[in-house]
Amino acid sequence: MKEDRDPAQTRPDRKSRQPLRVVNVSKKYGEVDALLPTTIEIRAGSLTALLGPSGCGKTTTLRIIAGLEYPDQGRVFIGDRDITDVVPNRRGLGMVFQNYSLFPHLTVFENVAFGLRMRKTPEDKVRRKVAEQLDLVRLPDAGGRYPRQLSGGQQQRVALARALATDPDILLLDEPLGALDKNLRENMQFELRQLQQALSITTVLVTHDQEEALTMSDEVVVMDHGRVVQAGPPHEIYERPQSHFVSEFLGAANILPIHIDDLPCAVVDLGQQRHALRIDAGGGVWNGRASLVIRPEKCWLATTPPSGANGLPGTLVGHAFRGSQHAFQVAVAGLDRALTVYAQATDIGSDSLPMAGASVFVCWKPENAVILEEADRAGR
């Protein structure tokens, strides 16, 4: 009986992977700073996501790595090799685009074989390599089909097989799942990540999708206005944001203006309303105005003040059922924006949902909030 194994686990060992370094790289288009001097180091065999809104500099960074743009300053290295002046097809890169860029007039086999044939690879090796790649992406019988005969997910796999066929040192993914629907995109996140880990190939993923970055990467590099604003493991970026921008870009966040006089105590200053809180300073020294960030899933609702936790009184003004969870909005006097609370659907029965207009407390544990040094912004 044929054993059902992951093809990636049966492949021969690939050549040792190389780290990627972008050192003090910048780029201007006319008077616009698309990328301010930026340094990013990516560990060998890891997947790093460049995350940020449109115009933040992530795509410019990827294009400089790929050799499609030349930096105004700075250098790009694969291992100890300076590739800044190397033409794209000699950099040892594989690349997958959002639209896959498959040749519609070529079969799947011919698409995957394209890069190998451009390198004058002997035909017998081309056939072996293409078969190996199609087996790797679980499309062993698709070689004779055309891209139009494939689903979006299958086209994405073919594009990946083509990118990997030349055994690149670095894999570049430019919004590779953006054209897929939500369910397929989520499945492909796991599949692509498992394949990257099995091959241990150094990978750069460009995305504006926060969930995709958190799900797939070893490290997230958050960018804004042409610069890196925070970098680190996904859980660290999410749980311990260092700015309002990062806290709000990586999911919903409740941000409270506070005043710290005497640790571990603080005051939520809401104009006419002032509420005492206990905070976790995390070893820092804090004094004066700051902001407190609490993720909605770290909060819960209560009808009475909590014991051993913080609680802000407010009025329930909104509720949405999202299948796996409930989302509540609570208006707090003195705050311009309602606080958001997430609760797992399994934890709340339909007969026990609080009603709009109910008086509630938004509660959280001190250790689940993050203090930001920057003062609250205008409009909060």
Side-chain angles (χ1 to χ4, degrees):
M1 182 175 176
K2 188 176 179 180
E3 197 176 354
D4 185 16
R5 292 181 294 179
D6 183 344
Q9 295 177 354
T10 65
R11 288 168 52 86
D13 289 340
R14 299 167 67 92
K15 60 185 178 182
S16 60
R17 294 302 171 195
Q18 299 289 327
L20 172 67
R21 291 184 296 137
V22 176
V23 182
N24 201 37
V25 163
S26 67
K27 182 69 178 179
K28 292 185 79 165
Y29 297 107
E31 297 301 313
V32 178
D33 287 310
L35 186 65
L36 296 167
T38 295
T39 296
I40 299 171
E41 297 195 10
I42 299 172
R43 291 182 290 106
S46 69
L47 191 155
T48 293
L50 306 184
L51 174 68
S54 297
C56 71
K58 60 185 186 296
T59 299
T60 299
T61 303
L62 190 79
R63 289 178 63 83
I64 289 172
I65 294 170
L68 303 177
E69 298 284 356
Y70 195 81
D72 296 332
Q73 70 175 49
R75 313 301 292 177
V76 180
F77 297 87
I78 295 178
D80 295 327
R81 184 167 63 104
D82 186 341
I83 63 167
T84 313
D85 299 313
V86 178
V87 295
N89 64 340
R90 295 187 179 277
R91 293 191 173 204
L93 306 173
M95 192 162 185
V96 178
F97 300 90
Q98 179 176 344
N99 61 3
Y100 315 132
S101 297
L102 298 176
F103 301 114
H105 61 289
L106 299 182
T107 65
V108 167
F109 179 95
E110 292 165 333
N111 266 281
V112 177
F114 183 81
L116 294 167
R117 286 174 170 161
M118 289 294 289
R119 295 186 174 195
K120 310 297 185 184
T121 305
E123 193 61 25
D124 59 338
K125 185 174 180 181
V126 168
R127 293 188 177 280
R128 289 197 304 271
K129 193 71 172 178
V130 171
E132 180 183 285
Q133 295 303 314
L134 292 180
D135 190 42
L136 180 70
V137 298
R138 297 183 175 85
L139 290 173
D141 302 318
R145 299 163 69 183
Y146 287 88
R148 65 179 179 274
Q149 298 173 309
L150 304 176
S151 67
Q154 289 171 328
Q155 290 183 46
Q156 196 267 356
R157 292 183 191 179
V158 173
L160 183 61
R162 184 177 64 182
L164 293 171
T166 56
D167 198 21
D169 291 312
I170 308 292
L171 178 63
L172 304 179
L173 305 175
D174 187 8
E175 304 274 5
L177 308 180
L180 304 179
D181 62 53
K182 186 179 189 311
N183 287 338
L184 182 55
R185 184 167 66 248
E186 290 178 354
N187 289 335
M188 289 304 298
Q189 287 172 7
F190 287 104
E191 190 166 324
L192 185 55
R193 175 59 165 155
Q194 289 165 359
L195 184 59
Q196 183 271 329
Q197 289 177 317
L199 298 176
S200 189
I201 183 169
T202 308
T203 302
V204 182
L205 166 70
V206 163
T207 182
H208 65 271
D209 186 313
Q210 300 90 332
E211 183 180 280
E212 186 169 290
L214 295 173
T215 299
M216 295 179 62
S217 61
D218 296 295
E219 182 151 326
V220 177
V221 176
V222 185
M223 303 184 70
D224 187 37
H225 289 95
R227 60 165 57 90
V228 174
V229 292
Q230 190 173 348
H235 66 89
E236 178 183 298
I237 297 288
Y238 184 80
E239 299 285 354
R240 297 291 165 185
Q242 296 174 358
S243 67
H244 283 100
F245 172 79
V246 174
S247 65
E248 293 182 295
F249 190 76
L250 266 80
N254 297 312
I255 302 180
L256 302 173
I258 62 172
H259 195 279
I260 304 171
D261 288 322
D262 186 21
L263 292 174
C265 297
V267 172
V268 180
D269 193 352
L270 304 176
Q272 299 298 319
Q273 301 286 331
R274 293 171 65 85
H275 301 279
L277 301 176
R278 291 188 66 83
I279 59 175
D280 184 347
V285 178
W286 306 91
N287 188 44
R289 298 179 69 194
S291 296
L292 200 68
V293 179
I294 316 104
R295 295 289 184 194
E297 67 273 16
K298 301 291 187 181
C299 302
W300 70 92
L301 298 180
T303 55
T304 58
S307 176
N310 290 313
L312 278 183
T315 303
L316 186 66
V317 294
H319 166 254
F321 176 60
R322 296 177 175 172
S324 62
Q325 67 178 201
H326 296 278
F328 300 98
Q329 286 198 312
V330 178
V332 175
L335 275 183
D336 292 337
R337 184 187 300 181
L339 300 181
T340 302
V341 177
Y342 294 158
Q344 290 298 312
T346 54
D347 296 337
I348 302 179
S350 58
D351 56 347
S352 59
L353 286 171
M355 302 295 292
S359 295
V360 295
F361 287 84
V362 176
C363 310
W364 70 92
K365 296 179 180 179
E367 62 269 25
N368 287 336
V370 176
I371 304 170
L372 300 181
E373 284 189 276
E374 53 193 330
D376 57 294
R377 296 172 298 175
R380 288 203 176 278

